[in-house]
Amino acid sequence: MTIPSYRSEEDEEDKLMGRIEIQKMYPDLLAQLVAYAHREAKRLYSDLRKVKDTASKLIKNGLLRFVPVDKRIILPGSVCGVDGSFYITRSLGHRFLGLIGLSLVFFDKGLESIRHPEINVHVFVERIKEELGIDPEKVVITNMLLRESMLINEASQKGARLIFIDGPIIDPPDLIDKEYVRKRVDNLVESLRRETIIVGIVKRFNSSVIASMSSIKHDLTDQDVVPVLFNTIYKLGKFPLEVGLFTNPILIAEENGERLSSAFKVYASEFSKKGYEFRIWTSFAQAGYAHRPFRVEILASDDEDIHAILQYIFQWISPGMSIPLPIYLAHYSCLIRKRAAQLVFSEALSRLASLVGEEDDLLNIRNLIHFGETS
């Protein structure tokens, strides 16, 4: 079977920007970098061959089942996409300003309203004082995620049958602050009580659900193994290249998990206090050959048909896209871009300085914007 080569517009743009950056590098440094890259590439390619061999064995031994998409399956009801972004900059002294952007994309009639979504965006400002033991960026991220949780509940109150969120159900995966978890669980449980299905779309996954099946003695993650698995299954010719696939869903719950994270256990405890068992169904999906795979996490009532939900998720992936449309729209409508935020701050301060009439303040403003960068 002949597999066509594929390079996305994003890949081409990255390659072009890379060539431009190369021209700016000091020649001797570039020469050493090239030599080092060639040595490491040989090691990486050798490791990749082992991963490919393992992927073939996983498929051959039937440890993984791939399910083709059936686009006839439709779930009634409205659908939403929720996402948030942030930008943080230093203010005067040890103070920081955090800008939070949130988006709720609402498809009132489900797929029937796919061409006419209602997009609602919000901006919030957080002022944080840098103190010992306090990371301003983590404070902003936590507040952003709390507001996202409230937005999930708001979407459920509006009657959403299914809500897409950009990221995992446990977000961030390593945060086990009990007060934060309690508030997030409050919103998730309220949504479940209204029989809302919550679907997390994880584009970068450091889990080891599939990688743990591998016999390779490397610290592999699913991010390493899953793309190879999908490419292998398509190359074997078992499914047409344009057909979307997902792996058989796996249940993550206290009843069957020996290696549950500390965060999962904290969430499970909070769910239990409210009379619910914390159960997440997870699967890996890909919209077709040469698309990027993503991880799906589903939080739903026990009587929901998980396979039907997975099939329905693919109905929202438009031609040429790799992720569901509600996530794409929510992500880009809430995105606070770094240079745009810098310009907005600079223009606002410059306008104020011009009104006051202090010319030297313009120079001070440029320095404030420049040195205010956190990364």
Side-chain angles (χ1 to χ4, degrees):
M1 180 182 181
T2 302
I3 303 291
S5 60
Y6 176 84
R7 190 182 294 273
S8 67
E9 289 183 10
E10 189 178 84
D11 293 334
E12 292 290 352
E13 183 179 339
D14 288 343
K15 188 175 181 179
L16 176 61
M17 293 303 296
R19 292 189 182 280
I20 293 173
E21 292 298 319
I22 279 179
Q23 301 298 321
K24 300 177 182 179
M25 286 188 67
Y26 187 69
D28 286 350
L29 180 65
L30 177 60
Q32 292 183 42
L33 176 62
V34 170
Y36 176 80
H38 280 290
R39 289 196 301 270
E40 287 302 310
K42 291 179 180 178
R43 296 193 185 108
L44 179 60
Y45 187 75
S46 176
D47 290 340
L48 181 61
R49 295 299 306 178
K50 295 176 183 177
V51 175
K52 289 178 69 175
D53 290 342
T54 298
S56 297
K57 290 177 183 177
L58 288 174
I59 295 170
K60 183 179 179 181
N61 295 336
L63 292 176
L64 280 177
R65 178 172 170 246
F66 291 83
V67 182
V69 173
D70 183 352
K71 292 197 172 184
R72 296 170 297 176
I73 296 178
I74 302 293
L75 296 182
S78 57
V79 170
C80 290
V82 171
D83 195 15
S85 73
F86 75 95
Y87 169 79
I88 186 169
T89 186
R90 186 184 297 275
S91 183
L92 293 175
H94 292 279
R95 289 176 173 81
F96 288 79
L97 287 178
L99 293 180
I100 295 174
L102 293 174
S103 179
L104 171 60
V105 180
F106 199 80
F107 297 84
D108 185 44
K109 297 180 181 179
L111 287 170
E112 291 182 27
S113 54
I114 195 169
R115 293 181 180 275
H116 305 286
E118 175 189 333
I119 301 178
N120 299 297
V121 294
H122 308 276
V123 173
F124 300 91
V125 178
E126 301 282 348
R127 296 174 179 84
I128 307 105
K129 184 178 180 181
E130 186 180 30
E131 297 177 337
L132 185 63
I134 295 178
D135 183 342
E137 184 167 314
K138 285 187 176 180
V139 172
V140 174
I141 292 174
T142 301
N143 289 339
M144 177 193 73
L145 291 170
L146 279 176
R147 293 183 184 277
E148 275 188 31
S149 303
M150 295 167 63
L151 210 54
I152 292 170
N153 195 11
E154 180 184 325
S156 177
Q157 289 174 343
K158 291 179 68 174
R161 176 73 174 107
L162 186 148
I163 300 174
F164 286 102
I165 63 174
D166 192 350
I169 302 295
I170 299 178
D171 197 7
D174 57 350
L175 182 61
I176 55 175
D177 178 87
K178 291 188 177 181
E179 182 62 18
Y180 164 80
V181 173
R182 183 186 65 78
K183 291 179 179 178
R184 184 168 176 86
V185 169
D186 282 346
N187 287 287
L188 294 177
V189 169
E190 284 300 313
S191 301
L192 286 177
R193 283 177 178 155
R194 301 186 194 98
E195 298 185 348
T196 301
I197 301 166
I198 302 170
V199 176
I201 301 297
V202 188
K203 292 170 285 190
R204 296 179 181 85
F205 34 87
N206 291 318
S207 57
S208 57
V209 176
I210 303 299
S212 61
M213 302 178 185
S214 168
S215 60
I216 301 177
K217 296 180 180 179
H218 277 32
D219 293 328
L220 294 176
T221 67
D222 292 330
Q223 191 79 57
D224 303 314
V225 177
V226 170
V228 178
L229 277 169
F230 277 102
N231 287 338
T232 301
I233 199 75
Y234 280 114
K235 186 176 180 180
L236 291 173
K238 293 182 177 292
F239 302 98
L241 300 182
E242 69 278 5
V243 169
L245 300 174
F246 61 86
T247 60
N248 219 31
I250 298 171
L251 176 63
I252 301 177
E254 287 190 306
E255 65 193 56
N256 68 347
E258 298 180 357
R259 299 191 301 171
L260 298 175
S261 68
S262 298
F264 187 98
K265 293 175 182 177
V266 174
Y267 272 74
S269 175
E270 288 298 323
F271 265 77
S272 179
K273 292 176 184 177
K274 298 181 180 300
Y276 281 77
E277 184 182 1
F278 187 47
R279 296 157 61 90
I280 295 177
W281 287 94
T282 187
S283 172
F284 293 88
Q286 187 164 309
Y289 177 73
H291 288 267
R292 293 179 180 175
F294 56 89
R295 176 173 169 169
V296 180
E297 294 187 359
I298 300 173
L299 183 65
S301 302
D302 292 342
D303 57 352
E304 297 287 358
D305 185 339
I306 302 301
H307 273 88
I309 294 171
L310 284 166
Q311 296 280 7
Y312 185 56
I313 288 170
F314 277 87
Q315 307 294 337
W316 290 92
I317 302 179
S318 300
M321 297 183 66
S322 296
I323 59 173
L325 180 63
I327 286 294
Y328 179 88
L329 291 178
H331 176 77
Y332 282 100
S333 59
C334 78
L335 187 60
I336 297 178
R337 299 181 183 275
K338 175 180 173 181
R339 289 186 177 86
Q342 287 176 332
L343 181 61
V344 169
F345 271 120
S346 178
E347 291 293 328
L349 289 169
S350 297
R351 179 175 174 78
L352 183 61
S354 64
L355 291 174
V356 175
E358 299 290 343
E359 293 183 4
D360 62 318
D361 280 346
L362 295 176
L363 179 59
N364 294 331
I365 287 166
R366 283 197 294 270
N367 289 333
L368 179 63
I369 296 296
H370 175 72
F371 290 113
E373 287 304 298
T374 59
S375 61

